Amino acid sequence: MALDNILRALPSFRGKTRLARLLFDNEIKHQKDVLIKGKYNCSFVIPNLQENVGLDIFINGIYEPETIRFLNRIIPRNGQFLDLGANIGAVLIPLCKRRPDISAVAVEAAPWIFEYLEKNVKMNGLQNVQLLNKALFDKDDVELDFFSPGIKFGKGSLAPVFSQEPVKVMTNRVDTIVRQFQFGKVSTIKLDVEGFEFFVFKGAEHLLQSSDSPDIIFEFVDWAETKAMGLHAGAAQEYLLSVGYQLYLLENDHPVKMEEPLKKGSSNLFATKKDYPVPTS
């Protein structure tokens, strides 16, 4: 067994990332288009190992395992799942490999990253996933600049934060996507759009104000939200509260009720309209 495969077979432990950087310094700095066999029999082609998405899969065979566990727990049998800002499929693929009953639509804005997403979905033989190469916004068919850095490929954004070189992308509203893919009832959304969550939620008004609104996992990063076309930190959370959601901090994969929106720092958040959001098993 190759040394990197042995590394991935080891359980996570304190200092594992530091050890990997010592053992694989050259590979981490220079390898591109790396093929990795990860957990749950998942395979990935990864643009590079310098971005934390790629490095985590290289070291542990999986990215954000707590998020994947939580999604696996809350998505109902035969649920319909939206992965909005799917990137290379790091969360989508292990989840849909474990849950072939799920119907999923994965949306990624950056054309070059979308090619990796397509390749990874096809390589894993997923029949329960449909893909869309669009940017998410509160309006349809708007051409916007999208900034997708080559090294930090997990940090694509409609704001020029990690790159100053834009590509043109076309936008879709979430409500439009749901109609396009004929999803009868979306049960769960995972959202990762680097501070532009408010605009995505505004483009999902019909879905989020319906009587059977989906559960949502999303990221809050204060500085990213303030760079998103004049938003203030906490704007996305305030919108969800205004349409009847409750907010929870996701500590590992355990939600903790929030009394008010976060304004500082960064955290993974969970939003739901259910009284008892987390199954006990």
Side-chain angles (χ1 to χ4, degrees), residues 118-224:
E118 279 189 309
K119 185 181 298 184
N120 288 333
V121 167
K122 183 178 180 180
M123 183 168 53
N124 284 278
L126 295 176
Q127 302 299 313
N128 55 339
V129 177
Q130 300 181 81
L131 304 177
L132 182 65
N133 183 202
K134 289 289 183 72
L136 296 155
F137 201 50
D138 62 346
K139 300 179 181 65
D140 286 319
D141 301 321
V142 177
E143 186 179 66
L144 295 176
D145 287 337
F146 191 83
F147 301 86
S148 182
I151 297 298
K152 294 183 178 294
F153 64 83
K155 303 295 191 294
S157 175
L158 288 168
V161 178
F162 293 98
S163 171
Q164 301 295 316
E165 299 178 7
V167 295
K168 296 295 184 181
V169 296
M170 298 301 294
T171 65
N172 259 169
R173 301 169 72 246
V174 171
D175 283 340
T176 303
I177 293 169
V178 172
R179 288 196 302 271
Q180 176 183 341
F181 288 92
Q182 299 181 335
F183 264 23
K185 177 184 176 182
V186 178
S187 56
T188 314
I189 294 173
K190 188 224 87 184
L191 178 63
D192 187 356
V193 291
E194 301 296 329
F196 282 79
E197 293 81 10
F198 172 83
F199 296 102
V200 179
F201 294 149
K202 284 289 289 181
E205 285 180 315
H206 178 75
L207 180 63
L208 301 188
Q209 294 181 33
S210 65
S211 59
D212 54 356
S213 301
D215 295 335
I216 306 168
I217 293 177
F218 66 105
E219 186 180 32
F220 166 69
V221 180
D222 53 4
W223 63 263

Side-chain angles (χ1 to χ4, degrees), residues 28 41 46 64 88 100 110 120-121 125 142 156 173 186 198 234 253-254 259 265:
I28 290 169
N41 199 33
I46 297 173
E64 292 195 358
I88 65 169
N120 288 333
V121 167
V142 177
R173 301 169 72 246
V186 178
F198 172 83
D253 57 349
H254 300 289
E259 299 303 323

